[in-house]
Amino acid sequence: MWVRFSNKYELNTMILKVAIPDVIPEKTAGFEDHFEVAQEIISSMNGWLGHQLQQCLEVPNRYILLVRWVKLEDHTIGSRQSPTYQKWKKLLHDFYAPFAVVEHSTTKYEK
């Protein structure tokens, strides 16, 4: 569930990381089991505001990971350059084929 923002400043400055990993089809159950552990790592990071993992209905081995960050550097530097990122990577990256596309965005409009 998404949280309502208390003011326009928060809405316009939050960063949304969108990753779209395709998981090796016969490894989706293992990926989901590992994600349950890995989400504890990401949720302990500085600047983390919340996340969702969604599964594509048309392509069942495709997932969408949405992570809300206070600022871009919380993910690109704080998260990715932390020692705990190596644990995240070890838990999840072997399930991807190919490696996930990752992009960051900010909200322009919401109704």
Side-chain angles (χ1 to χ4, degrees), residues 44-94:
S44 70
M45 299 279 181
N46 238 8
W48 171 88
L49 296 172
H51 68 271
Q52 290 183 3
L53 180 67
Q54 299 185 9
Q55 186 175 22
C56 179
L57 296 175
E58 292 81 11
V59 184
N61 66 308
R62 179 169 295 152
Y63 293 81
I64 300 172
L65 174 60
L66 305 170
V67 184
R68 298 182 312 279
W69 295 100
V70 172
K71 59 187 180 202
L72 180 62
E73 295 78 16
D74 289 331
H75 178 238
T76 59
I77 297 170
S79 171
R80 284 193 176 163
Q81 293 182 13
S82 73
T84 53
Y85 178 75
Q86 296 308 312
K87 293 177 187 175
W88 168 274
K89 186 175 174 179
K90 185 174 181 170
L91 281 166
L92 299 176
H93 287 198
D94 289 340

